Amino acid sequence: MTTNLTHKIWAPAWECADRGDIRAQQLARLRETVAYTYRAVPHYRAKMDAVGLKPSDIRCLDDIRLLPYTTKTDFHQTYPFGLFAVPPAELTRIHSSSGTTGKPTVVGYTKNDLETWVELVARMVSLAGVVASDIAQISFGYGMFTGGFGLHYGLERAGATVVPVSSGNTDRQFMFMEDFRTTVFISTPSYAAYIGEQARLRGLELGKQLHLRLGLFGAEPWTEGMRTRIEAELGVSATDNYGMSELCGPGVSGECVIAKDGMHLAEDLFLWEVIDPLTEEPVAEGEIGELIVTPLWKEALPIIRYRTRDLTAVTTAPCACGRTSARMARVRGRTDDMLIIRGVNVFPTQIEHVLMETEGTSPHYLLVVTREGALDTLEVWVEVSERMFSESFSRMTVLRDLLTKKIHSVLGLSVKVKLVEPQTLERSQGKAKRVLDKRNLE
């Protein structure tokens, strides 16, 4: 594995700032954000009024705990633009992500928001070792998902040449890697592992057909074992990065290629907390808890105390790379039932919505997640009604194919559907068990 890096810190004034200066900047921007949000977003104003809180009550960073949380429920209740601080006509771009119902979570950006987002991603890819001479191949989807576009413009800002190949079509991926002499590969870690397997099976040689040196991977959980495998098979130095549509998309944090010891948070523009998800009390530095994030810069969609549902730990100890920004550990899991399959967010209620509108199915189902080779696979087991079970094999096949098509339409993800006999799946007196995750994500 060859990196041949010129170490560059994109924003040294903040990435290497004194902790006191960082906190002073955070407080000033937090007070501005709270005042702006209270004034411009009726939904937030109502939530703050309900607890008797005014923007002037925020006098120190610890006062952030006085503010109400934001969750996906707030997005659902105000769909599509109720959380926005500007009218749609003032937006430059709209993205969305899947929610727990048939409606997506909608996010938007002003021109200034996009400029800041591009800078954040440029900072993140510089952390990962990208330099101006790189040719970066993006294998994220380019639709409403923020990942593809976010990485695209940030990589261009960092000076790299971008190959926007998008996701899938493995033959095309390899053709461009070889013909363009791609040096940076951007995808989900599971797809990178699949590409590594395919490279080995096709007999592609590192340094001959493949010239990769860096891999920037995110959008789903992965392990150190997966990193080691990807690095060996693709000849890259692989780093993790973190983002979320509600917060901006990619650019919230990323690993530095030098230490790979936690993802550096852009603290001048994001205020983080880590809480016990049950008691909602802060946990000690370095302990696992739920990550709460407040962006300190957004015009179109200011968000206060967003509950990410992601479990991680954060440390403020300086990094070997020289940066002083706090670092978050790889996400260990989530506090809710969301699954991430090949970079796609999947909620059991999305599947349930499809099943309940389709004649011949019952309310009893199970999502079985396995890992076949390098790729995650989702199989939906669903009990059929007694009447459907007594129908011909051809009718059952038609139902299975219909469900497969409808679920793909909702998720944008191919799944396997298995129709099972009535009374087959385990019943529960408490919360129903909807997910059987057979992957090893330790």
Side-chain angles (χ1 to χ4, degrees):
M1 175 174 51
T2 302
T3 56
N4 188 28
L5 298 176
T6 300
H7 179 52
K8 178 182 179 181
I9 298 179
W10 185 262
W14 290 113
E15 294 183 74
C16 303
D18 177 80
R19 295 298 310 169
D21 292 341
I22 291 173
R23 290 180 64 81
Q25 173 81 314
Q26 288 177 327
L27 177 58
R29 289 182 169 173
L30 173 63
R31 297 185 69 181
E32 291 173 1
T33 296
V34 172
Y36 173 63
T37 305
Y38 184 87
R39 181 176 68 253
V41 185
H43 182 79
Y44 273 116
R45 184 162 61 249
K47 291 182 70 168
M48 292 174 64
D49 286 346
V51 296
L53 186 67
K54 299 296 182 184
S56 58
D57 295 327
I58 306 302
R59 300 184 178 90
C60 65
L61 286 178
D62 286 343
D63 286 341
I64 193 171
R65 296 179 59 194
L66 301 174
L67 294 162
Y69 294 112
T70 304
T71 68
K72 281 190 178 291
T73 299
D74 292 284
F75 282 89
H76 301 154
Q77 290 174 343
T78 60
Y79 176 89
F81 302 128
L83 286 183
F84 284 54
V86 300
E90 294 183 19
L91 299 174
T92 300
R93 192 189 307 165
I94 295 172
H95 282 282
S96 72
S97 62
S98 298
T100 58
T101 68
K103 295 291 187 180
T105 299
V106 177
V107 299
Y109 308 79
T110 64
K111 183 178 180 180
N112 288 335
D113 287 337
L114 289 178
E115 174 63 23
T116 303
W117 187 22
V118 169
E119 282 290 303
L120 282 167
V121 178
R123 181 188 301 188
M124 185 193 79
V125 301
S126 294
L127 274 162
V130 173
V131 294
S133 59
D134 276 314
I135 297 177
Q137 186 162 317
I138 300 178
S139 297
F140 278 138
Y142 266 79
M144 299 300 282
F145 172 57
T146 56
F149 282 104
L151 268 299
H152 182 117
Y153 291 109
L155 284 160
E156 287 186 341
R157 177 64 58 84
T161 300
V162 174
V163 182
V165 67
S166 194
S167 57
N169 199 334
T170 301
D171 289 339
R172 190 176 177 85
Q173 300 280 355
F174 281 123
M175 180 182 71
F176 287 154
M177 282 183 192
E178 185 172 356
D179 294 348
F180 300 161
R181 299 177 71 89
T182 299
T183 58
V184 180
F185 187 58
I186 298 99
S187 74
T188 63
S190 58
Y191 189 63
Y194 175 72
I195 287 289
E197 283 184 347
Q198 287 296 307
R200 174 168 40 83
L201 292 173
R202 297 173 188 218
L204 301 179
E205 297 181 27
L206 303 180
K208 187 174 181 181
Q209 288 93 357
L210 298 181
H211 304 274
L212 299 172
R213 68 180 191 88
L214 297 176
L216 281 63
F217 306 123
E220 66 184 14
W222 57 311
T223 63
E224 280 300 314
M226 175 78 84
R227 191 209 303 262
T228 300
R229 178 178 177 181
I230 291 170
E231 290 186 332
E233 294 194 333
L234 290 180
V236 299
S237 182
T239 54
D240 197 5
N241 58 74
Y242 179 83
M244 184 172 286
S245 295
E246 295 86 343
L247 303 178
C248 75
V252 176
S253 66
E255 282 183 316
C256 63
V257 72
I258 292 177
K260 299 181 187 176
D261 187 22
M263 293 178 279
H264 291 265
L265 285 148
E267 287 192 277
D268 52 318
L269 294 169
F270 295 98
L271 182 58
W272 57 271
E273 306 167 71
V274 183
I275 66 169
D276 182 312
L278 298 179
T279 66
E280 299 184 355
E281 291 297 316
V283 302
E285 181 171 324
E287 290 188 2
I288 297 291
E290 180 184 349
L291 181 68
I292 312 297
V293 181
T294 301
L296 302 174
W297 53 276
K298 300 176 73 179
E299 287 183 343
L301 184 62
I303 298 295
I304 293 176
R305 301 192 80 195
Y306 188 71
R307 294 195 66 159
T308 68
R309 304 295 180 183
D310 288 325
L311 297 172
T312 186
V314 176
T315 178
T316 58
C319 181
C321 72
R323 294 173 178 85
T324 57
S325 49
R327 288 167 289 134
M328 59 179 282
R330 173 179 282 122
V331 172
R332 300 290 185 88
R334 292 184 59 83
T335 62
D336 55 19
D337 291 329
M338 189 186 83
L339 297 168
I340 302 180
I341 310 295
R342 303 182 200 172
V344 177
N345 293 350
V346 177
F347 291 86
T349 48
Q350 290 175 289
I351 306 294
E352 183 172 310
H353 178 75
V354 172
L355 300 180
M356 293 305 95
E357 68 174 17
T358 306
E359 185 176 356
T361 64
S362 81
H364 307 293
Y365 63 96
L366 183 68
L367 309 185
V368 181
V369 188
T370 57
R371 179 158 285 165
E372 297 181 359
L375 296 178
D376 293 337
T377 298
L378 174 61
E379 189 170 75
V380 180
W381 295 9
V382 55
E383 287 185 9
V384 297
S385 64
E386 295 283 356
R387 179 178 178 181
M388 177 56 68
F389 187 71
S390 65
E391 292 285 351
S392 65
F393 179 81
S394 61
R395 287 288 303 278
M396 293 276 281
T397 301
V398 169
L399 175 60
R400 183 197 63 200
D401 293 344
L402 175 63
L403 289 172
T404 301
K405 181 178 180 180
K406 292 174 72 172
I407 292 172
H408 182 272
S409 177
V410 170
L411 301 180
L413 180 74
S414 296
V415 304
K416 298 178 181 179
V417 174
K418 179 180 179 181
L419 303 181
V420 301
E421 184 178 352
Q423 305 300 314
T424 299
L425 300 179
E426 180 181 355
R427 305 298 196 260
S428 174
Q429 296 300 312
K431 184 178 179 181
K433 181 177 176 60
R434 298 300 194 194
V435 178
L436 178 59
D437 196 338
K438 296 183 177 181
R439 299 172 296 179
N440 181 13
L441 296 178
E442 296 297 326

